[in-house]
Amino acid sequence: MTSERRAISGLAGLYATRMLGLFMVLPVLALYAEDLAGATPLLVGLALGAYGLTQAIFQIPFGLLSDRIGRKVVIAGGLLLFALGSVIAAEADSIATVIVGRCLQGSGAVAGAIMALLADQTREEIRTAAMATIGLSIGVAFAIAMVVGPLMAAQFGLTSVFWLTAVLALASLLVLWRLVPAAPRVARHQDVGLDRQQLRITLTSSSLLRLDFSIFALHTILTAAFVAVPFRLVNVGIEAASQGWVYLAVMGLAFVGMVPLVIVAEKRRRMKSTFIGAVAGMTLVLLALGELGHQRWTLIGLLWAFFVAFNLLEATLPSMISKLAPAGAKGTAMGVYSTSQFLGAFLGGVLGGALSQRFGYDAVFLGGALLGAVWLAVIWKMPAPRHLSSEIVTLDEHPADALDTLMARFADVAGVEDVLVVPEERVAYLKVDRQRLDAEALARVAGTRHDSRGA
């Protein structure tokens, strides 16, 4: 449908544009903030990670607010906060003002509202592909930001990065109101939004908590690393103006190196061993960066290995969340997961700044390696995730008074491992083993066709 395509392309572009503005600062802030009044490594690290704290605080409240007053209004307000924070940071002449700007950028935490609007705009049978499109757009935005940020800052200064971010945020407002069609309704979607009834289950699952800690540790390490990596590149003779091209080559080759590992994890069902191997590999790379990364090609090679592990973990962790979350609890699980990610970005900036100020840049990598070792201990005895997929079955052919009787019938279908029927949404959320699933029996129970949610 044309309206769905417009919604998917518009919201994916909006999400990617917003993330592009956040990511562009990552490889350049530590290098260029030294000229700001009051700048110290600790405060620069705080500026780098400050957006994560306000993102973590506001993302769930903004998502709930969008249920009450409308998605577009909340998204527009978040984009205006993001633009205002960018302008404040662009005009800053002190590190304290940059920190204020970064906090305001993060307070425009509209990721949940964007995903909910996407769910409002799309049918169940295409929603998985729609969300995958947004996920892909984030990855592309990160890669572009790693190149554009250093090139912009080298040519026009750090302020140009923040000004471009503000312009992109305002352009996103035009996309929101002109390209994204009005939603037919505001509805609750348990596979997208937070459900308070599922929150207790999510917070008491040891496997999900291990994954929450994993994304927390991953983004702590990433943000801390960018307190030190730009200076390490300068020390081996790669000036700020050229660092964007180094990131382009490293990120491109890292993507090539990551793809076969994702295939092994998903297709050959080696998710746990691939996961542990990636964490162990990242820990060793961080250790090597702290002890050995003082020669140009050694440093570049280690950065490539770091981003192979990072990209692999960034791609597989959401898949593992989807496999482990109970039926109907994926949205809640992802909300906790995203909050953990943003808190990790905040702590990473503070930790990286504190370590570099007190002990030097080598200590940042060694501190990351220590966190990696703790991470390995946390996940070592984690049960291997079962290779279950999420499915959603529409129930619009059933009268409302029959919906509460369907759960047992769904559970009796071969290959269905978990089920949650949500009468108000007129859908059933299932966790299924595709190799055993009796699709015909499932369709007979539902009285309608079912839709793959892939995980």
Side-chain angles (χ1 to χ4, degrees), residues 140-417:
V140 172
F142 182 76
I144 293 173
M146 290 296 100
V147 181
V148 174
L151 294 178
M152 284 281 297
Q155 191 70 26
F156 304 108
L158 179 63
T159 59
S160 68
V161 176
F162 288 118
W163 278 118
L164 178 59
T165 299
V167 169
L168 290 173
L170 295 176
S172 295
L173 283 171
L174 292 176
V175 171
L176 176 66
W177 292 108
R178 294 296 183 91
L179 180 60
V180 178
R185 68 195 188 286
V186 172
R188 295 289 301 275
H189 308 276
Q190 293 210 22
D191 59 331
V192 177
L194 181 74
D195 183 81
R196 291 170 182 167
Q197 294 180 340
Q198 298 283 0
L199 188 58
R200 183 184 61 81
I201 298 171
T202 300
L203 293 176
T204 55
S205 167
S206 61
S207 293
L208 289 175
L209 288 174
R210 284 184 172 105
L211 297 182
D212 294 334
F213 180 82
S214 294
I215 195 65
F216 169 83
L218 181 63
H219 280 262
T220 298
I221 289 169
L222 176 72
T223 310
F226 273 104
V227 174
V229 166
F231 294 103
R232 183 62 64 80
L233 289 171
V234 169
N235 290 341
V236 299
I238 301 172
E239 296 301 323
S242 302
Q243 289 186 12
W245 303 114
V246 173
Y247 291 127
L248 175 62
V250 166
M251 293 293 292
L253 292 173
F255 178 80
V256 173
M258 174 269 291
V259 169
L261 298 174
V262 171
I263 293 172
V264 168
E266 292 282 0
K267 300 298 184 184
R268 298 190 180 180
R269 301 198 168 194
R270 296 287 186 269
M271 185 66 76
K272 181 181 177 181
S273 57
T274 303
F275 176 38
I276 290 177
V279 176
M282 176 173 281
T283 302
L284 291 174
V285 167
L286 288 164
L287 189 62
L289 281 167
E291 296 291 341
L292 305 172
H294 299 280
Q295 300 296 322
R296 177 179 295 191
W297 290 109
T298 301
L299 176 60
I300 291 173
L302 289 171
L303 288 176
W304 171 80
F306 175 86
F307 280 110
V308 169
F310 174 81
N311 290 340
L312 176 60
L313 290 163
E314 192 80 356
T316 56
L317 279 169
S319 176
M320 293 176 72
I321 286 279
S322 182
K323 288 174 170 58
L324 290 168
K330 181 179 175 182
T332 303
M334 287 302 299
V336 176
Y337 173 89
S338 296
T339 300
S340 303
Q341 173 182 330
F342 293 130
L343 288 174
F346 169 67
L347 180 63
V350 174
L351 202 58
L355 287 173
S356 63
Q357 180 168 308
R358 182 70 177 85
F359 302 107
Y361 295 118
D362 287 352
V364 176
F365 300 116
L366 296 176
L370 179 60
L371 178 57
V374 173
W375 184 2
L376 271 176
V378 168
I379 65 173
W380 191 259
K381 293 187 177 180
M382 176 180 174
R386 298 182 64 191
H387 281 259
L388 301 179
S389 299
S390 299
E391 301 239 352
I392 190 168
V393 176
T394 56
L395 304 170
D396 38 8
E397 292 185 14
H398 285 273
D401 60 359
L403 291 176
D404 60 359
T405 69
L406 288 174
M407 193 171 295
R409 295 171 61 197
F410 277 119
D412 287 339
V413 174
V416 173
E417 302 293 333

